Amino acid sequence: MGFLKREEKLAAVSVQSGAQGWTLPRSLPTGRGERELYRRLRETVPIIDAAIYKLRRLIGEYDVHCPDPDAERRLREFIDNVQVGAAGQGMDSFLGTYLEELLTYGSAVGEMVVSGGQIRALYNASLDDLELMEDGPLGVKVLVCEPGGKRECPYPELLLLSALNPPSGSPWGTSLLRGLPFVSELLMKIYHALGVNWERLGNVRFAVTCKPDSGGFPAADRARKMAEEWKKAMRSREVNDFVAVGDVSIKAIGADNQMLDSDVPVRQMLEQIVAKLGLPPFLLGLSWSSTERMSSQQADVLTSELEAYRRLLTPVIRKVCRTWLTLEGYPAECEIEWDEITMQDEVDHANARYLIAKARQLELELEQTGKEREE
């Protein structure tokens, strides 16, 4: 009985380094305004939107393995054919949207829709309709925001929740786009100024100056007549001559001015954006000079970035698969195996294994030669 009492005392899980009782959140969650800012950022800066979509496509494919062959076959059919939202199909569609939300907003929430004891669909929840609340140091509650108030989801075990690089002690993640609004604003200012300058200098305007003599028509009537003839000549699609009487001079406005060179500041802003997104420049259509060695190193960095995102998605896939196996009456045992990211990675791994085996063979030959000499 003493052992049972001891077990009851240890049943409650607590964190000794966490603050006890109600405290203010250690980091503010991503609000509706910040999410709208990230959405507008993707709409305004095409390179950011392209990077998010490329990361979604480069994440690669995976396969599931179960001890029971029948369970594995049916699980793969479920993964390929499960309904996703209103118009999607397959878990890849669900994971693509899930990863896109995770990168853009720092957090992503999904749900397994169960009906009749089976998973009927997967649903990507909108963060605008949800609110995350800390439930102790190791838990989080998902609240649904409705016109009448907020309500807690009654079946949290069916929810899928991920956070990207969350601060310590916080359930909210950090958006991949954090830090880019300021840089993107500067970039948009440069582009806007470029457009205004081209509008002013590229579309040539003319200044017509006439110095009338003292006699003849009044100066106002002569200027009005000359302006009408000049407008008629400029609007005509055919080549027309402009004939004027008197001391008339015509000069182009802005043709002699030089526009500021925007290559250096634009590249500096783009370098900051590319560094934050973690993609090599050549994948985003930026033809910056780079050696073959540098491109190989950038590919290795991209591989490590994708591996990190895969580690975030693996628990989500495993939870969906184990829930499906449990509801179907199979043992909840499955392994997730990701494919190699590119064929170049497989070649590099094969070459590495070949070199290691060759070195091992040479070591064995040297050891054998040394033993024969000793004998």
Side-chain angles (χ1 to χ4, degrees):
M1 293 297 293
F3 178 75
L4 292 177
K5 290 182 179 180
R6 184 180 180 184
E7 286 293 314
E8 291 176 359
K9 290 181 181 179
L10 296 178
V13 179
S14 62
V15 177
Q16 62 180 1
S17 59
Q20 302 297 324
W22 183 86
T23 57
L24 290 174
R26 283 167 289 278
S27 63
L28 295 177
T30 304
R32 185 185 296 268
E34 189 174 353
R35 288 193 295 268
E36 181 64 24
L37 173 62
Y38 294 145
R39 278 194 289 267
R40 294 293 182 89
L41 201 60
R42 292 184 57 178
E43 294 174 0
T44 307
V45 187
I47 194 172
I48 296 178
D49 194 51
I52 297 294
Y53 280 121
K54 286 187 182 297
L55 288 173
R56 173 176 176 173
R57 291 176 174 85
L58 289 173
I59 199 65
E61 299 180 352
Y62 61 92
D63 198 3
V64 294
H65 301 282
C66 301
D68 189 345
D70 181 65
E72 181 176 316
R73 177 185 59 82
R74 292 191 58 199
L75 179 58
R76 290 177 178 175
E77 292 178 356
F78 164 78
I79 291 175
D80 294 336
N81 301 316
V82 62
Q83 180 181 352
V84 178
Q89 183 177 1
M91 194 182 294
D92 290 340
S93 176
F94 169 78
L95 290 177
T97 305
Y98 193 87
L99 178 62
E100 189 176 341
E101 296 273 313
L102 187 63
L103 296 176
T104 305
Y105 308 121
S107 301
V109 178
E111 181 180 355
M112 295 176 284
V113 182
V114 177
S115 177
Q118 294 179 335
I119 299 179
R120 301 295 183 179
L122 298 176
Y123 175 70
N124 294 104
S126 174
L127 294 178
D128 292 337
D129 301 331
L130 302 176
E131 181 178 325
L132 304 181
M133 178 183 294
E134 293 186 36
D135 187 15
L138 298 178
V140 57
K141 293 181 180 180
V142 180
L143 305 179
V144 182
C145 301
E146 296 177 339
K150 303 176 183 178
R151 62 175 176 85
E152 183 179 354
C153 294
Y155 306 103
E157 63 275 5
L158 298 178
L159 297 178
L160 306 166
L161 176 63
S162 298
L164 178 64
N165 300 326
S168 58
S170 173
W172 302 288
T174 304
S175 171
L176 182 65
L177 308 183
R178 176 170 291 184
L180 293 185
F182 173 73
V183 178
S184 301
E185 183 182 3
L186 294 180
L187 183 64
M188 290 299 100
K189 286 182 178 179
I190 295 175
Y191 284 152
H192 177 71
L194 243 126
V196 172
N197 288 336
W198 270 104
E199 185 70 22
R200 290 176 177 174
L201 306 182
N203 187 9
V204 183
R205 292 172 173 82
F206 298 92
V208 181
T209 305
C210 177
K211 299 179 180 179
D213 50 13
S214 57
F217 295 98
D221 296 341
R222 181 175 296 184
R224 189 180 304 108
K225 183 65 176 177
M226 188 177 298
E228 292 176 358
E229 295 298 327
W230 177 259
K231 290 180 181 179
K232 186 186 300 183
M234 295 301 295
R235 290 174 180 173
S236 177
R237 297 187 178 182
E238 300 178 357
V239 179
N240 290 333
D241 295 329
F242 175 72
V243 181
V245 179
D247 188 2
V248 179
S249 62
I250 302 174
K251 293 183 179 180
I253 299 176
D256 299 332
N257 294 337
Q258 301 246 348
M259 288 190 293
L260 294 175
D261 186 10
S262 61
D263 292 342
V264 174
V266 167
R267 175 159 179 170
Q268 289 178 348
M269 298 301 104
L270 290 178
E271 285 175 350
Q272 298 293 324
I273 294 176
V274 171
K276 192 69 169 65
L277 297 175
L279 283 175
F282 61 85
L283 286 180
L284 299 173
L286 301 174
S287 57
W288 295 342
S289 60
S290 62
T291 62
E292 182 179 357
R293 179 71 176 174
M294 185 181 299
S295 299
S296 177
Q297 292 176 348
Q298 290 174 348
D300 292 339
V301 172
L302 175 61
T303 301
S304 64
E305 292 283 342
L306 296 176
E307 291 289 348
Y309 296 142
R310 284 179 170 184
R311 287 193 292 270
L312 290 174
L313 295 180
T314 298
V316 177
I317 303 172
R318 185 182 295 115
K319 183 175 181 179
V320 174
C321 293
R322 288 182 175 178
T323 303
W324 183 89
L325 290 171
T326 301
L327 294 177
E328 295 294 330
Y330 295 106
E333 298 179 9
C334 66
E335 294 295 333
I336 311 300
E337 181 180 354
W338 290 90
D339 297 341
E340 293 291 340
I341 294 177
T342 62
M343 290 300 296
Q344 184 64 34
D345 289 338
E346 295 183 1
V347 173
D348 292 340
H349 291 316
N351 289 334
R353 290 194 298 267
Y354 171 76
L355 294 176
I356 293 174
K358 192 68 175 178
R360 182 57 180 166
Q361 181 182 1
L362 293 176
E363 292 175 356
L364 293 176
E365 292 177 356
L366 291 175
E367 292 178 0
Q368 185 67 24
T369 303
K371 290 180 180 180
E372 291 178 356
R373 289 179 179 179
E374 291 177 358
E375 293 178 354

